[in-house]
Amino acid sequence: EVQLVQSGPEVKKPGESLRISCQGAAYYFSTHWIGWVRQMPGKGLEWMGMIYASDSSIEYNPSFQGQVTISADTSISTAYLHWSGLRASDTATYFCARVNAYGVFDYWGQGTPVTASS
Amino acid sequence: DIQLTQSPSFLSASVGDRVTITCRASQGISSYLAWYQQKPGRAPTLLIYAASKLQGGVPSRFSGSGSGTQFTLTITGLQPEDFGTYSCQQVYGYPRTFGQGTKVDIK
């Protein structure tokens, strides 16, 4: 069964760097786009961007471009979301999800809660 | 960006009811629309893609319709396990966008 397994909860201080991960299993990781979605506490879903691991093509939401970096390592079937300097407003749960042939998210990771607080 | 507006934002219905949620796009998106269900503390799950295609394993009481700018998700015969928040997503243009969500409560 297709699975996306995300790294665990993170608590950081504003200004610190952070990288969270999303490892795919039971499918060909390189042949699918992987997307990232933010959900702030009590709020809706926000599409951040996605990466096609085989050639590192990336589509960013302009609202997030420059704030985060999306990357992937096909050798370990893992996608990453990186912040060079967290802000308190980055406190949220972040989901990764696989994009299917219709362009929608058919499999989701369990979510990684990130708290940025002094 | 393509804006998606869902209505209502909240609804409360009884088991067995027929429930309809609407998603309106700010411009035409053909049939490039998906619906997701999300329960508290859990990741969303895909219900409907391409506006009306049922994702495998999803009960047939869920159905989707529409094209262009107006879409609906219908639950025919609401079940207790159908509580949660339902969100639409367009995959016609970049950036992809979601509706604000519709919270469904079981009376």
Side-chain angles (χ1 to χ4, degrees), chain A residues 33 37 39 44-47 50 59-63 95 100 102-110, chain B residues 1 32 34 36 38 42-46 49-50 53 55 87 89 91 94-100:
Chain A
W33 289 82
V37 174
Q39 187 166 42
L45 304 169
E46 299 175 271
W47 186 88
M50 61 188 194
E59 292 284 349
Y60 282 106
N61 183 332
S63 296
F95 295 99
N100 74 2
Y102 289 86
V104 302
F105 292 134
D106 61 349
Y107 290 92
W108 293 68
Q110 81 276 20
Chain B
D1 297 7
Y32 292 91
Y36 301 90
Q38 187 179 23
R42 305 295 298 274
T45 58
L46 177 65
Y49 62 96
K53 297 182 187 300
Q55 174 69 352
S87 300
Q89 181 203 18
V91 294
Y94 288 107
R96 310 306 200 204
T97 48
F98 291 92
Q100 82 279 12

mmCIF file of all heavy atoms in Angstrom, chain A residues 33 37 39 44-47 50 59-63 95 100 102-110, chain B residues 1 32 34 36 38 42-46 49-50 53 55 87 89 91 94-100:
data_model
loop_
_atom_site.group_PDB
_atom_site.id
_atom_site.type_symbol
_atom_site.label_atom_id
_atom_site.label_comp_id
_atom_site.label_asym_id
_atom_site.label_seq_id
_atom_site.Cartn_x
_atom_site.Cartn_y
_atom_site.Cartn_z
ATOM 1 N N TRP A 33 4.663 13.757 -8.735
ATOM 2 C CA TRP A 33 4.870 14.993 -8.005
ATOM 3 C C TRP A 33 4.493 14.761 -6.536
ATOM 4 O O TRP A 33 3.608 13.970 -6.230
ATOM 5 C CB TRP A 33 3.980 16.106 -8.556
ATOM 6 C CG TRP A 33 4.361 16.617 -9.910
ATOM 7 C CD1 TRP A 33 4.047 16.054 -11.123
ATOM 8 C CD2 TRP A 33 5.080 17.817 -10.206
ATOM 9 N NE1 TRP A 33 4.540 16.824 -12.138
ATOM 10 C CE2 TRP A 33 5.179 17.909 -11.619
ATOM 11 C CE3 TRP A 33 5.664 18.820 -9.419
ATOM 12 C CZ2 TRP A 33 5.834 18.968 -12.254
ATOM 13 C CZ3 TRP A 33 6.307 19.877 -10.056
ATOM 14 C CH2 TRP A 33 6.394 19.937 -11.447
ATOM 15 N N VAL A 37 1.346 21.054 1.887
ATOM 16 C CA VAL A 37 0.146 21.813 2.255
ATOM 17 C C VAL A 37 0.281 22.289 3.699
ATOM 18 O O VAL A 37 0.664 21.502 4.577
ATOM 19 C CB VAL A 37 -1.115 20.929 2.106
ATOM 20 C CG1 VAL A 37 -2.361 21.661 2.614
ATOM 21 C CG2 VAL A 37 -1.304 20.518 0.645
ATOM 22 N N GLN A 39 -1.522 23.898 7.107
ATOM 23 C CA GLN A 39 -2.784 24.102 7.818
ATOM 24 C C GLN A 39 -2.469 24.769 9.153
ATOM 25 O O GLN A 39 -1.966 24.139 10.077
ATOM 26 C CB GLN A 39 -3.546 22.802 8.022
ATOM 27 C CG GLN A 39 -4.937 23.036 8.597
ATOM 28 C CD GLN A 39 -5.820 21.804 8.496
ATOM 29 O OE1 GLN A 39 -5.376 20.688 8.748
ATOM 30 N NE2 GLN A 39 -7.073 21.999 8.122
ATOM 31 N N GLY A 44 -8.009 26.549 7.249
ATOM 32 C CA GLY A 44 -8.126 25.681 6.095
ATOM 33 C C GLY A 44 -6.790 25.268 5.513
ATOM 34 O O GLY A 44 -5.724 25.559 6.060
ATOM 35 N N LEU A 45 -6.867 24.594 4.381
ATOM 36 C CA LEU A 45 -5.698 24.056 3.708
ATOM 37 C C LEU A 45 -5.110 25.085 2.741
ATOM 38 O O LEU A 45 -5.858 25.747 2.017
ATOM 39 C CB LEU A 45 -6.088 22.786 2.944
ATOM 40 C CG LEU A 45 -6.752 21.686 3.786
ATOM 41 C CD1 LEU A 45 -7.327 20.604 2.878
ATOM 42 C CD2 LEU A 45 -5.773 21.098 4.783
ATOM 43 N N GLU A 46 -3.791 25.175 2.709
ATOM 44 C CA GLU A 46 -3.102 26.100 1.807
ATOM 45 C C GLU A 46 -2.046 25.333 1.008
ATOM 46 O O GLU A 46 -1.176 24.686 1.595
ATOM 47 C CB GLU A 46 -2.416 27.213 2.591
ATOM 48 C CG GLU A 46 -3.352 28.084 3.409
ATOM 49 C CD GLU A 46 -2.554 29.074 4.242
ATOM 50 O OE1 GLU A 46 -2.179 28.712 5.387
ATOM 51 O OE2 GLU A 46 -2.318 30.209 3.769
ATOM 52 N N TRP A 47 -2.116 25.432 -0.302
ATOM 53 C CA TRP A 47 -1.160 24.753 -1.178
ATOM 54 C C TRP A 47 0.124 25.552 -1.235
ATOM 55 O O TRP A 47 0.123 26.729 -1.617
ATOM 56 C CB TRP A 47 -1.787 24.622 -2.565
ATOM 57 C CG TRP A 47 -1.020 23.832 -3.563
ATOM 58 C CD1 TRP A 47 -1.092 22.498 -3.767
ATOM 59 C CD2 TRP A 47 -0.104 24.333 -4.536
ATOM 60 N NE1 TRP A 47 -0.266 22.119 -4.802
ATOM 61 C CE2 TRP A 47 0.357 23.234 -5.289
ATOM 62 C CE3 TRP A 47 0.394 25.600 -4.848
ATOM 63 C CZ2 TRP A 47 1.266 23.355 -6.331
ATOM 64 C CZ3 TRP A 47 1.300 25.732 -5.885
ATOM 65 C CH2 TRP A 47 1.743 24.627 -6.611
ATOM 66 N N MET A 50 4.996 22.119 -5.028
ATOM 67 C CA MET A 50 5.217 20.700 -5.259
ATOM 68 C C MET A 50 6.465 20.483 -6.091
ATOM 69 O O MET A 50 6.923 21.392 -6.790
ATOM 70 C CB MET A 50 3.998 20.061 -5.918
ATOM 71 C CG MET A 50 3.606 20.612 -7.260
ATOM 72 S SD MET A 50 2.016 19.886 -7.764
ATOM 73 C CE MET A 50 2.013 20.365 -9.487
ATOM 74 N N GLU A 59 7.095 23.723 -8.564
ATOM 75 C CA GLU A 59 6.104 24.786 -8.676
ATOM 76 C C GLU A 59 5.865 25.326 -7.268
ATOM 77 O O GLU A 59 5.501 24.567 -6.377
ATOM 78 C CB GLU A 59 4.789 24.261 -9.260
ATOM 79 C CG GLU A 59 4.859 23.843 -10.707
ATOM 80 C CD GLU A 59 4.889 25.026 -11.665
ATOM 81 O OE1 GLU A 59 4.654 26.166 -11.231
ATOM 82 O OE2 GLU A 59 5.159 24.800 -12.864
ATOM 83 N N TYR A 60 6.097 26.609 -7.074
ATOM 84 C CA TYR A 60 5.842 27.239 -5.778
ATOM 85 C C TYR A 60 4.592 28.098 -5.844
ATOM 86 O O TYR A 60 4.309 28.733 -6.859
ATOM 87 C CB TYR A 60 7.008 28.159 -5.379
ATOM 88 C CG TYR A 60 8.233 27.480 -4.832
ATOM 89 C CD1 TYR A 60 9.383 27.363 -5.601
ATOM 90 C CD2 TYR A 60 8.254 26.987 -3.530
ATOM 91 C CE1 TYR A 60 10.526 26.764 -5.094
ATOM 92 C CE2 TYR A 60 9.400 26.386 -3.009
ATOM 93 C CZ TYR A 60 10.532 26.273 -3.801
ATOM 94 O OH TYR A 60 11.667 25.678 -3.295
ATOM 95 N N ASN A 61 3.882 28.140 -4.746
ATOM 96 C CA ASN A 61 2.858 29.158 -4.567
ATOM 97 C C ASN A 61 3.618 30.465 -4.312
ATOM 98 O O ASN A 61 4.456 30.525 -3.410
ATOM 99 C CB ASN A 61 1.976 28.811 -3.365
ATOM 100 C CG ASN A 61 0.841 29.776 -3.156
ATOM 101 O OD1 ASN A 61 0.910 30.953 -3.516
ATOM 102 N ND2 ASN A 61 -0.219 29.301 -2.543
ATOM 103 N N PRO A 62 3.355 31.517 -5.074
ATOM 104 C CA PRO A 62 4.068 32.785 -4.849
ATOM 105 C C PRO A 62 3.983 33.277 -3.400
ATOM 106 O O PRO A 62 4.900 33.970 -2.934
ATOM 107 C CB PRO A 62 3.372 33.749 -5.809
ATOM 108 C CG PRO A 62 2.873 32.871 -6.909
ATOM 109 C CD PRO A 62 2.460 31.599 -6.244
ATOM 110 N N SER A 63 2.923 32.911 -2.716
ATOM 111 C CA SER A 63 2.769 33.327 -1.321
ATOM 112 C C SER A 63 3.821 32.700 -0.405
ATOM 113 O O SER A 63 4.059 33.202 0.689
ATOM 114 C CB SER A 63 1.380 32.955 -0.807
ATOM 115 O OG SER A 63 0.378 33.645 -1.515
ATOM 116 N N PHE A 95 1.478 19.086 5.764
ATOM 117 C CA PHE A 95 1.203 17.790 5.164
ATOM 118 C C PHE A 95 1.946 17.680 3.834
ATOM 119 O O PHE A 95 2.010 18.643 3.068
ATOM 120 C CB PHE A 95 -0.286 17.617 4.866
ATOM 121 C CG PHE A 95 -1.175 17.590 6.073
ATOM 122 C CD1 PHE A 95 -1.875 18.723 6.468
ATOM 123 C CD2 PHE A 95 -1.346 16.424 6.804
ATOM 124 C CE1 PHE A 95 -2.718 18.705 7.561
ATOM 125 C CE2 PHE A 95 -2.186 16.393 7.915
ATOM 126 C CZ PHE A 95 -2.854 17.540 8.289
ATOM 127 N N ASN A 100 -1.623 12.586 -8.170
ATOM 128 C CA ASN A 100 -1.898 11.512 -9.123
ATOM 129 C C ASN A 100 -2.012 12.056 -10.548
ATOM 130 O O ASN A 100 -1.761 13.236 -10.808
ATOM 131 C CB ASN A 100 -3.146 10.726 -8.702
ATOM 132 C CG ASN A 100 -4.446 11.468 -8.941
ATOM 133 O OD1 ASN A 100 -4.466 12.585 -9.456
ATOM 134 N ND2 ASN A 100 -5.553 10.840 -8.563
ATOM 135 N N TYR A 102 -4.396 12.857 -12.297
ATOM 136 C CA TYR A 102 -5.398 13.906 -12.469
ATOM 137 C C TYR A 102 -4.993 15.208 -11.765
ATOM 138 O O TYR A 102 -5.763 16.166 -11.745
ATOM 139 C CB TYR A 102 -6.754 13.433 -11.949
ATOM 140 C CG TYR A 102 -7.381 12.379 -12.832
ATOM 141 C CD1 TYR A 102 -7.075 11.037 -12.660
ATOM 142 C CD2 TYR A 102 -8.275 12.731 -13.836
ATOM 143 C CE1 TYR A 102 -7.642 10.065 -13.475
ATOM 144 C CE2 TYR A 102 -8.851 11.773 -14.651
ATOM 145 C CZ TYR A 102 -8.522 10.442 -14.471
ATOM 146 O OH TYR A 102 -9.089 9.487 -15.279
ATOM 147 N N GLY A 103 -3.797 15.201 -11.190
ATOM 148 C CA GLY A 103 -3.290 16.417 -10.571
ATOM 149 C C GLY A 103 -3.751 16.657 -9.152
ATOM 150 O O GLY A 103 -3.458 17.706 -8.575
ATOM 151 N N VAL A 104 -4.450 15.685 -8.572
ATOM 152 C CA VAL A 104 -4.973 15.862 -7.212
ATOM 153 C C VAL A 104 -4.165 15.011 -6.237
ATOM 154 O O VAL A 104 -3.407 14.127 -6.633
ATOM 155 C CB VAL A 104 -6.468 15.490 -7.133
ATOM 156 C CG1 VAL A 104 -7.272 16.344 -8.115
ATOM 157 C CG2 VAL A 104 -6.693 14.015 -7.391
ATOM 158 N N PHE A 105 -4.331 15.293 -4.950
ATOM 159 C CA PHE A 105 -3.585 14.594 -3.903
ATOM 160 C C PHE A 105 -4.311 13.306 -3.528
ATOM 161 O O PHE A 105 -5.344 13.351 -2.860
ATOM 162 C CB PHE A 105 -3.460 15.488 -2.672
ATOM 163 C CG PHE A 105 -2.589 16.705 -2.863
ATOM 164 C CD1 PHE A 105 -3.006 17.949 -2.423
ATOM 165 C CD2 PHE A 105 -1.337 16.606 -3.453
ATOM 166 C CE1 PHE A 105 -2.200 19.072 -2.573
ATOM 167 C CE2 PHE A 105 -0.519 17.715 -3.606
ATOM 168 C CZ PHE A 105 -0.954 18.957 -3.166
ATOM 169 N N ASP A 106 -3.755 12.154 -3.945
ATOM 170 C CA ASP A 106 -4.454 10.903 -3.666
ATOM 171 C C ASP A 106 -3.965 10.199 -2.408
ATOM 172 O O ASP A 106 -4.705 9.400 -1.826
ATOM 173 C CB ASP A 106 -4.431 9.960 -4.876
ATOM 174 C CG ASP A 106 -3.025 9.562 -5.309
ATOM 175 O OD1 ASP A 106 -2.040 10.163 -4.817
ATOM 176 O OD2 ASP A 106 -2.912 8.654 -6.154
ATOM 177 N N TYR A 107 -2.751 10.440 -1.983
ATOM 178 C CA TYR A 107 -2.236 9.890 -0.736
ATOM 179 C C TYR A 107 -1.553 11.006 0.040
ATOM 180 O O TYR A 107 -0.823 11.811 -0.544
ATOM 181 C CB TYR A 107 -1.258 8.738 -0.975
ATOM 182 C CG TYR A 107 -1.920 7.493 -1.490
ATOM 183 C CD1 TYR A 107 -2.028 7.258 -2.857
ATOM 184 C CD2 TYR A 107 -2.448 6.551 -0.611
ATOM 185 C CE1 TYR A 107 -2.656 6.129 -3.338
ATOM 186 C CE2 TYR A 107 -3.081 5.410 -1.086
ATOM 187 C CZ TYR A 107 -3.183 5.206 -2.447
ATOM 188 O OH TYR A 107 -3.806 4.076 -2.913
ATOM 189 N N TRP A 108 -1.803 11.014 1.363
ATOM 190 C CA TRP A 108 -1.298 12.064 2.225
ATOM 191 C C TRP A 108 -0.420 11.481 3.330
ATOM 192 O O TRP A 108 -0.672 10.361 3.812
ATOM 193 C CB TRP A 108 -2.463 12.809 2.884
ATOM 194 C CG TRP A 108 -3.310 13.605 1.946
ATOM 195 C CD1 TRP A 108 -4.143 13.131 0.959
ATOM 196 C CD2 TRP A 108 -3.438 15.027 1.925
ATOM 197 N NE1 TRP A 108 -4.769 14.170 0.326
ATOM 198 C CE2 TRP A 108 -4.356 15.352 0.902
ATOM 199 C CE3 TRP A 108 -2.864 16.072 2.666
ATOM 200 C CZ2 TRP A 108 -4.721 16.671 0.592
ATOM 201 C CZ3 TRP A 108 -3.224 17.375 2.379
ATOM 202 C CH2 TRP A 108 -4.139 17.671 1.352
ATOM 203 N N GLY A 109 0.586 12.258 3.747
ATOM 204 C CA GLY A 109 1.314 11.937 4.957
ATOM 205 C C GLY A 109 0.455 12.257 6.177
ATOM 206 O O GLY A 109 -0.607 12.872 6.051
ATOM 207 N N GLN A 110 0.959 11.863 7.330
ATOM 208 C CA GLN A 110 0.170 12.024 8.564
ATOM 209 C C GLN A 110 0.231 13.453 9.119
ATOM 210 O O GLN A 110 -0.516 13.781 10.030
ATOM 211 C CB GLN A 110 0.648 11.022 9.634
ATOM 212 C CG GLN A 110 1.892 11.428 10.420
ATOM 213 C CD GLN A 110 3.200 11.090 9.721
ATOM 214 O OE1 GLN A 110 3.241 10.881 8.507
ATOM 215 N NE2 GLN A 110 4.277 11.022 10.503
ATOM 216 N N ASP B 1 -4.672 34.472 -8.783
ATOM 217 C CA ASP B 1 -5.026 33.164 -8.239
ATOM 218 C C ASP B 1 -6.517 32.900 -8.434
ATOM 219 O O ASP B 1 -7.328 33.828 -8.415
ATOM 220 C CB ASP B 1 -4.713 33.098 -6.735
ATOM 221 C CG ASP B 1 -3.234 33.242 -6.429
ATOM 222 O OD1 ASP B 1 -2.454 33.527 -7.370
ATOM 223 O OD2 ASP B 1 -2.875 33.097 -5.245
ATOM 224 N N TYR B 32 -11.594 20.460 -13.447
ATOM 225 C CA TYR B 32 -10.367 20.243 -12.694
ATOM 226 C C TYR B 32 -10.574 20.559 -11.214
ATOM 227 O O TYR B 32 -9.971 21.488 -10.648
ATOM 228 C CB TYR B 32 -9.228 21.067 -13.277
ATOM 229 C CG TYR B 32 -8.791 20.603 -14.646
ATOM 230 C CD1 TYR B 32 -9.359 21.144 -15.798
ATOM 231 C CD2 TYR B 32 -7.818 19.622 -14.794
ATOM 232 C CE1 TYR B 32 -8.972 20.716 -17.058
ATOM 233 C CE2 TYR B 32 -7.419 19.192 -16.042
ATOM 234 C CZ TYR B 32 -8.000 19.741 -17.168
ATOM 235 O OH TYR B 32 -7.607 19.313 -18.417
ATOM 236 N N ALA B 34 -11.342 18.786 -7.182
ATOM 237 C CA ALA B 34 -11.358 17.649 -6.269
ATOM 238 C C ALA B 34 -12.047 18.037 -4.968
ATOM 239 O O ALA B 34 -12.128 19.225 -4.619
ATOM 240 C CB ALA B 34 -9.929 17.192 -5.976
ATOM 241 N N TYR B 36 -12.126 16.838 -0.774
ATOM 242 C CA TYR B 36 -11.461 16.099 0.291
ATOM 243 C C TYR B 36 -12.309 16.165 1.561
ATOM 244 O O TYR B 36 -13.017 17.140 1.799
ATOM 245 C CB TYR B 36 -10.089 16.711 0.607
ATOM 246 C CG TYR B 36 -9.135 16.741 -0.560
ATOM 247 C CD1 TYR B 36 -9.094 17.841 -1.410
ATOM 248 C CD2 TYR B 36 -8.273 15.682 -0.820
ATOM 249 C CE1 TYR B 36 -8.228 17.883 -2.490
ATOM 250 C CE2 TYR B 36 -7.401 15.715 -1.897
ATOM 251 C CZ TYR B 36 -7.385 16.823 -2.730
ATOM 252 O OH TYR B 36 -6.522 16.850 -3.800
ATOM 253 N N GLN B 38 -11.779 15.860 5.780
ATOM 254 C CA GLN B 38 -10.771 15.880 6.835
ATOM 255 C C GLN B 38 -11.447 15.780 8.187
ATOM 256 O O GLN B 38 -12.375 16.534 8.489
ATOM 257 C CB GLN B 38 -9.902 17.138 6.782
ATOM 258 C CG GLN B 38 -8.739 17.100 7.779
ATOM 259 C CD GLN B 38 -7.856 18.333 7.709
ATOM 260 O OE1 GLN B 38 -8.273 19.396 7.268
ATOM 261 N NE2 GLN B 38 -6.617 18.208 8.150
ATOM 262 N N ARG B 42 -6.495 14.687 11.749
ATOM 263 C CA ARG B 42 -6.102 13.724 10.721
ATOM 264 C C ARG B 42 -5.793 14.429 9.410
ATOM 265 O O ARG B 42 -6.164 15.584 9.190
ATOM 266 C CB ARG B 42 -7.242 12.708 10.488
ATOM 267 C CG ARG B 42 -7.714 11.979 11.718
ATOM 268 C CD ARG B 42 -6.646 11.076 12.302
ATOM 269 N NE ARG B 42 -6.228 10.030 11.386
ATOM 270 C CZ ARG B 42 -6.841 8.860 11.254
ATOM 271 N NH1 ARG B 42 -7.887 8.568 12.010
ATOM 272 N NH2 ARG B 42 -6.393 7.972 10.406
ATOM 273 N N ALA B 43 -5.099 13.721 8.543
ATOM 274 C CA ALA B 43 -4.848 14.252 7.209
ATOM 275 C C ALA B 43 -6.119 14.180 6.367
ATOM 276 O O ALA B 43 -6.978 13.326 6.604
ATOM 277 C CB ALA B 43 -3.739 13.454 6.534
ATOM 278 N N PRO B 44 -6.253 15.069 5.392
ATOM 279 C CA PRO B 44 -7.389 14.962 4.468
ATOM 280 C C PRO B 44 -7.345 13.648 3.685
ATOM 281 O O PRO B 44 -6.277 13.028 3.538
ATOM 282 C CB PRO B 44 -7.190 16.151 3.524
ATOM 283 C CG PRO B 44 -6.332 17.110 4.289
ATOM 284 C CD PRO B 44 -5.430 16.242 5.115
ATOM 285 N N THR B 45 -8.502 13.234 3.185
ATOM 286 C CA THR B 45 -8.567 12.087 2.283
ATOM 287 C C THR B 45 -9.333 12.499 1.025
ATOM 288 O O THR B 45 -10.272 13.304 1.095
ATOM 289 C CB THR B 45 -9.258 10.873 2.934
ATOM 290 O OG1 THR B 45 -10.583 11.248 3.332
ATOM 291 C CG2 THR B 45 -8.495 10.389 4.150
ATOM 292 N N LEU B 46 -8.930 11.954 -0.098
ATOM 293 C CA LEU B 46 -9.536 12.290 -1.383
ATOM 294 C C LEU B 46 -10.865 11.561 -1.542
ATOM 295 O O LEU B 46 -10.944 10.349 -1.368
ATOM 296 C CB LEU B 46 -8.584 11.904 -2.516
ATOM 297 C CG LEU B 46 -9.075 12.115 -3.944
ATOM 298 C CD1 LEU B 46 -9.286 13.603 -4.236
ATOM 299 C CD2 LEU B 46 -8.073 11.518 -4.940
ATOM 300 N N TYR B 49 -12.444 13.306 -7.647
ATOM 301 C CA TYR B 49 -11.527 14.032 -8.507
ATOM 302 C C TYR B 49 -12.187 14.215 -9.872
ATOM 303 O O TYR B 49 -13.198 13.574 -10.178
ATOM 304 C CB TYR B 49 -10.186 13.299 -8.617
ATOM 305 C CG TYR B 49 -10.276 11.926 -9.233
ATOM 306 C CD1 TYR B 49 -10.034 11.735 -10.588
ATOM 307 C CD2 TYR B 49 -10.607 10.812 -8.457
ATOM 308 C CE1 TYR B 49 -10.126 10.479 -11.164
ATOM 309 C CE2 TYR B 49 -10.708 9.556 -9.021
ATOM 310 C CZ TYR B 49 -10.455 9.393 -10.373
ATOM 311 O OH TYR B 49 -10.556 8.141 -10.942
ATOM 312 N N ALA B 50 -11.598 15.111 -10.666
ATOM 313 C CA ALA B 50 -12.180 15.446 -11.964
ATOM 314 C C ALA B 50 -13.678 15.755 -11.830
ATOM 315 O O ALA B 50 -14.490 15.349 -12.656
ATOM 316 C CB ALA B 50 -11.947 14.316 -12.974
ATOM 317 N N LYS B 53 -15.574 12.046 -10.442
ATOM 318 C CA LYS B 53 -15.066 10.668 -10.363
ATOM 319 C C LYS B 53 -14.811 10.283 -8.906
ATOM 320 O O LYS B 53 -14.103 10.978 -8.180
ATOM 321 C CB LYS B 53 -13.782 10.524 -11.183
ATOM 322 C CG LYS B 53 -13.959 10.775 -12.673
ATOM 323 C CD LYS B 53 -12.670 10.562 -13.427
ATOM 324 C CE LYS B 53 -12.778 10.973 -14.881
ATOM 325 N NZ LYS B 53 -13.820 10.220 -15.609
ATOM 326 N N GLN B 55 -13.181 8.440 -5.919
ATOM 327 C CA GLN B 55 -11.916 7.792 -5.609
ATOM 328 C C GLN B 55 -12.186 6.373 -5.101
ATOM 329 O O GLN B 55 -13.191 6.117 -4.413
ATOM 330 C CB GLN B 55 -11.160 8.598 -4.545
ATOM 331 C CG GLN B 55 -9.882 7.959 -4.008
ATOM 332 C CD GLN B 55 -8.755 7.894 -5.024
ATOM 333 O OE1 GLN B 55 -8.931 8.195 -6.202
ATOM 334 N NE2 GLN B 55 -7.571 7.513 -4.565
ATOM 335 N N SER B 87 -13.401 20.051 1.841
ATOM 336 C CA SER B 87 -12.736 21.136 1.118
ATOM 337 C C SER B 87 -12.639 20.794 -0.357
ATOM 338 O O SER B 87 -12.347 19.645 -0.710
ATOM 339 C CB SER B 87 -11.327 21.375 1.662
ATOM 340 O OG SER B 87 -11.349 21.732 3.032
ATOM 341 N N GLN B 89 -10.720 21.688 -4.075
ATOM 342 C CA GLN B 89 -9.413 22.141 -4.572
ATOM 343 C C GLN B 89 -9.466 22.198 -6.088
ATOM 344 O O GLN B 89 -9.950 21.259 -6.729
ATOM 345 C CB GLN B 89 -8.294 21.185 -4.154
ATOM 346 C CG GLN B 89 -6.903 21.626 -4.621
ATOM 347 C CD GLN B 89 -5.893 20.502 -4.710
ATOM 348 O OE1 GLN B 89 -6.246 19.327 -4.754
ATOM 349 N NE2 GLN B 89 -4.615 20.838 -4.719
ATOM 350 N N VAL B 91 -7.338 22.224 -9.615
ATOM 351 C CA VAL B 91 -6.032 21.852 -10.172
ATOM 352 C C VAL B 91 -5.965 22.272 -11.634
ATOM 353 O O VAL B 91 -5.333 21.623 -12.476
ATOM 354 C CB VAL B 91 -5.753 20.336 -9.993
ATOM 355 C CG1 VAL B 91 -5.612 20.018 -8.511
ATOM 356 C CG2 VAL B 91 -6.843 19.481 -10.647
ATOM 357 N N TYR B 94 -2.052 27.393 -11.609
ATOM 358 C CA TYR B 94 -1.137 27.587 -10.480
ATOM 359 C C TYR B 94 -1.271 29.018 -9.932
ATOM 360 O O TYR B 94 -1.412 29.957 -10.713
ATOM 361 C CB TYR B 94 0.309 27.363 -10.929
ATOM 362 C CG TYR B 94 0.653 25.925 -11.201
ATOM 363 C CD1 TYR B 94 0.830 25.464 -12.500
ATOM 364 C CD2 TYR B 94 0.789 25.016 -10.156
ATOM 365 C CE1 TYR B 94 1.143 24.145 -12.762
ATOM 366 C CE2 TYR B 94 1.101 23.685 -10.396
ATOM 367 C CZ TYR B 94 1.277 23.259 -11.706
ATOM 368 O OH TYR B 94 1.577 21.938 -11.959
ATOM 369 N N PRO B 95 -1.194 29.190 -8.625
ATOM 370 C CA PRO B 95 -1.062 28.112 -7.632
ATOM 371 C C PRO B 95 -2.369 27.351 -7.464
ATOM 372 O O PRO B 95 -3.452 27.919 -7.651
ATOM 373 C CB PRO B 95 -0.697 28.867 -6.357
ATOM 374 C CG PRO B 95 -1.375 30.184 -6.509
ATOM 375 C CD PRO B 95 -1.278 30.513 -7.972
ATOM 376 N N ARG B 96 -2.272 26.056 -7.161
ATOM 377 C CA ARG B 96 -3.468 25.320 -6.784
ATOM 378 C C ARG B 96 -4.082 26.010 -5.555
ATOM 379 O O ARG B 96 -3.356 26.554 -4.719
ATOM 380 C CB ARG B 96 -3.134 23.878 -6.418
ATOM 381 C CG ARG B 96 -2.277 23.116 -7.433
ATOM 382 C CD ARG B 96 -2.816 23.125 -8.810
ATOM 383 N NE ARG B 96 -2.251 22.023 -9.616
ATOM 384 C CZ ARG B 96 -2.172 22.035 -10.916
ATOM 385 N NH1 ARG B 96 -2.587 23.103 -11.608
ATOM 386 N NH2 ARG B 96 -1.671 20.999 -11.555
ATOM 387 N N THR B 97 -5.373 25.985 -5.465
ATOM 388 C CA THR B 97 -6.038 26.612 -4.328
ATOM 389 C C THR B 97 -7.136 25.711 -3.781
ATOM 390 O O THR B 97 -7.683 24.872 -4.502
ATOM 391 C CB THR B 97 -6.642 27.980 -4.711
ATOM 392 O OG1 THR B 97 -7.375 27.841 -5.931
ATOM 393 C CG2 THR B 97 -5.550 29.029 -4.899
ATOM 394 N N PHE B 98 -7.425 25.920 -2.502
ATOM 395 C CA PHE B 98 -8.485 25.208 -1.809
ATOM 396 C C PHE B 98 -9.606 26.175 -1.443
ATOM 397 O O PHE B 98 -9.360 27.381 -1.232
ATOM 398 C CB PHE B 98 -7.967 24.590 -0.498
ATOM 399 C CG PHE B 98 -7.012 23.447 -0.659
ATOM 400 C CD1 PHE B 98 -5.633 23.679 -0.700
ATOM 401 C CD2 PHE B 98 -7.464 22.146 -0.745
ATOM 402 C CE1 PHE B 98 -4.737 22.621 -0.828
ATOM 403 C CE2 PHE B 98 -6.581 21.082 -0.869
ATOM 404 C CZ PHE B 98 -5.214 21.324 -0.918
ATOM 405 N N GLY B 99 -10.806 25.650 -1.319
ATOM 406 C CA GLY B 99 -11.868 26.411 -0.695
ATOM 407 C C GLY B 99 -11.601 26.508 0.801
ATOM 408 O O GLY B 99 -10.725 25.826 1.332
ATOM 409 N N GLN B 100 -12.393 27.341 1.463
ATOM 410 C CA GLN B 100 -12.148 27.597 2.881
ATOM 411 C C GLN B 100 -12.647 26.471 3.793
ATOM 412 O O GLN B 100 -12.340 26.454 4.981
ATOM 413 C CB GLN B 100 -12.784 28.936 3.306
ATOM 414 C CG GLN B 100 -14.269 28.882 3.628
ATOM 415 C CD GLN B 100 -15.170 28.914 2.396
ATOM 416 O OE1 GLN B 100 -14.718 28.763 1.254
ATOM 417 N NE2 GLN B 100 -16.448 29.139 2.637
#
